[in-house]
Amino acid sequence: MSDDAPVARPAARRIVVAVAVVALLAVAFAIGRFTAFGATAAPATPSTTSADAGFARDMQVHHTQAVQMAMEIYRKTSDPELRTLSYDIATTQSGQRGEMFGWLVEWGLPQASSQPLMQWMASSDAHSHGDTSALSQDELLAQMGMASEAELEQLRTLEGQPADCLFLGLMIRHHQGAIPMAEAVIELGSDPRVKDVAQTIVDGQSAEIDAMRDIQSRLTCSG
């Protein structure tokens, strides 16, 4: 039995060394994976006071009214071009509104905030409305280009060319209020998806303003 011992010891040492090497490789692999995971981990989600969250909330309010006006004129206009345009506005902005709702859910943030409308834009170089806490809700909505309740009631009441022309004037102003908001979040935001949607709003609504002005001219709308 003693003659076999010197042979067994080197074999045992080789096994121990092999196990140790495998263990070291496993640790190194785990460290590498952990480091790679840390390098590619998702960035922190936007906070409740961020430009991304403020934009998602305010633009949902803005889009809601646009959809309301677009569906009102879609229901009763007899102008084929305006009917098509109003349908496109309603469907596009309904989809974007749902996307913004989903962002806030994903970020674990409430859909509403105590922060005044457009306050998130205060640090923008070109689109700040200053301290919006000093403004009334009606003043804030007007600065966003939104229609008043009286204007919405007038749109519901009118028919024919007067309704078409009123809609065009209200929606052009509405778009003109949305574009600076979209440009502000492109400047201030951090989430790439938010910036992409905001750029889509800038491009799409700028083109729609041109289209609506052409329709105004064709319908000989005054003002």
Side-chain angles (χ1 to χ4, degrees):
M1 293 295 295
S2 60
D3 291 339
D4 295 335
V7 176
R9 287 194 201 99
R13 282 197 298 271
R14 285 195 297 271
I15 292 172
V16 171
V17 170
V19 169
V21 169
V22 170
L24 287 172
L25 289 173
V27 171
F29 177 77
I31 292 173
R33 286 296 296 269
F34 180 79
T35 303
F37 176 80
T40 59
T45 57
S47 71
T48 195
T49 57
S50 66
D52 303 274
F55 172 79
R57 293 181 182 120
D58 289 0
M59 195 57 80
Q60 282 190 72
V61 173
H62 207 265
H63 276 17
T64 296
Q65 188 182 82
V67 172
Q68 178 186 359
M69 292 194 296
M71 291 309 297
E72 176 66 26
I73 203 66
Y74 173 80
R75 180 183 62 82
K76 62 186 180 183
T77 187
S78 59
D79 187 274
E81 185 180 5
L82 184 54
R83 187 173 173 82
T84 298
L85 178 63
S86 62
Y87 179 82
D88 289 344
I89 290 172
T91 54
T92 297
Q93 296 202 23
S94 290
Q96 290 173 345
R97 183 179 59 186
E99 194 169 1
M100 294 164 193
F101 184 96
W103 293 338
L104 291 166
V105 171
E106 180 185 330
W107 300 334
L109 302 178
Q111 296 294 328
S113 169
S114 59
Q115 188 178 49
L117 292 167
M118 301 182 296
Q119 187 60 45
W120 59 272
M121 299 168 65
S123 58
S124 170
D125 293 332
H127 307 294
S128 174
H129 289 261
D131 182 6
T132 59
S133 62
L135 301 176
S136 70
Q137 186 76 355
D138 287 345
E139 289 171 328
L140 290 170
L141 294 174
Q143 287 198 17
M144 292 168 69
M146 294 181 66
S148 67
E149 284 302 318
E151 289 170 328
L152 292 174
E153 180 58 30
Q154 187 180 17
L155 181 62
R156 286 188 288 265
T157 302
L158 292 174
E159 299 286 343
Q161 191 253 21
D164 293 348
C165 288
L166 177 60
F167 168 80
L168 290 165
L170 293 178
M171 192 59 78
I172 287 172
R173 189 180 75 196
H174 204 267
H175 280 15
Q176 288 171 334
I179 290 171
M181 295 167 64
E183 290 173 338
V185 83
I186 292 170
E187 174 192 349
L188 302 173
S190 61
D191 191 299
R193 296 170 304 170
V194 176
K195 291 173 177 281
D196 286 346
V197 171
Q199 188 61 58
T200 298
I201 290 172
V202 172
D203 296 341
Q205 295 197 16
S206 295
E208 287 171 351
I209 287 173
D210 291 340
M212 287 188 285
R213 285 178 171 153
D214 288 343
I215 299 172
Q216 277 183 323
S217 178
R218 176 169 57 78
L219 296 179
T220 63
C221 299
S222 59

